[in-house]
Amino acid sequence: MEWTLEVIVVPVSDVDRAKDFYADKVGFKVDVDTQVAPGIRIVQLTPPGSRCSIALTEGLPGAPGQPPLMPGTLTGLQLCVTDIAAAREELVGRGVRVSAVRHAGPEGWADGPGAEPWNSFMFFSDPDGNGWTVQEAPAPLSER
């Protein structure tokens, strides 16, 4: 049996503001924007080339037995690109406040791309403070 990660709920305080950020600034495709019941809205967006989407919700109760996520508390979300410099240029051009490209070294994070594959990163946050990491991959997903 396959266990596929397909949707991650991203907690936000303003669904419209978050939708604009992810679609217009980050470049995610809006797949769904619907009110599934009175007062319950779901907006689902997918990064280009990804099989996993994010969901922005309004009025949806938390999963049974799990505490609700508070806006801005989700970190560690990670995207992969094959050209981190081009990806950074695209985000900056769209108005996203994104860090410089960095790599992990013996002293922690250091400026500039890493010399080894998989060791170039940049970081940004959405308007609520949910944190994203972008990592350079050596090849497209279909070739790994």
Side-chain angles (χ1 to χ4, degrees):
M1 172 186 333
E2 291 184 357
W3 292 53
T4 60
L5 180 62
E6 297 192 19
V7 180
I8 296 171
V9 176
V10 176
V12 297
S13 60
D14 182 326
V15 171
D16 288 317
R17 178 181 71 172
K19 177 185 172 188
D20 290 345
F21 175 79
Y22 286 109
D24 299 338
K25 295 199 180 251
V26 184
F28 289 13
K29 178 184 174 279
V30 178
D31 301 314
V32 174
D33 184 348
T34 187
Q35 185 168 343
V36 296
I40 299 176
R41 179 177 171 206
I42 297 174
V43 177
Q44 187 169 317
L45 304 100
T46 304
S50 180
R51 294 182 185 171
C52 185
S53 302
I54 64 169
L56 313 172
T57 64
E58 188 171 79
L60 187 68
Q66 297 178 7
L69 292 171
M70 300 306 297
T73 60
L74 192 58
T75 62
L77 297 165
Q78 190 157 321
L79 300 166
C80 287
V81 297
T82 55
D83 185 338
I84 201 156
R88 185 177 187 284
E89 186 176 308
E90 183 177 324
L91 290 175
V92 168
R94 291 179 173 190
V96 177
R97 293 182 56 186
V98 61
S99 74
V101 173
R102 307 181 106 183
H103 66 278
E107 305 297 320
W109 291 109
D111 291 337
E116 329 62 42
W118 296 101
N119 195 13
S120 296
F121 302 85
M122 63 183 171
F123 309 91
F124 70 90
S125 295
D126 72 10
D128 282 295
N130 295 302
W132 289 82
T133 299
V134 181
Q135 180 181 29
E136 186 173 71
L141 181 60
S142 62
E143 296 174 20
R144 289 187 254 142

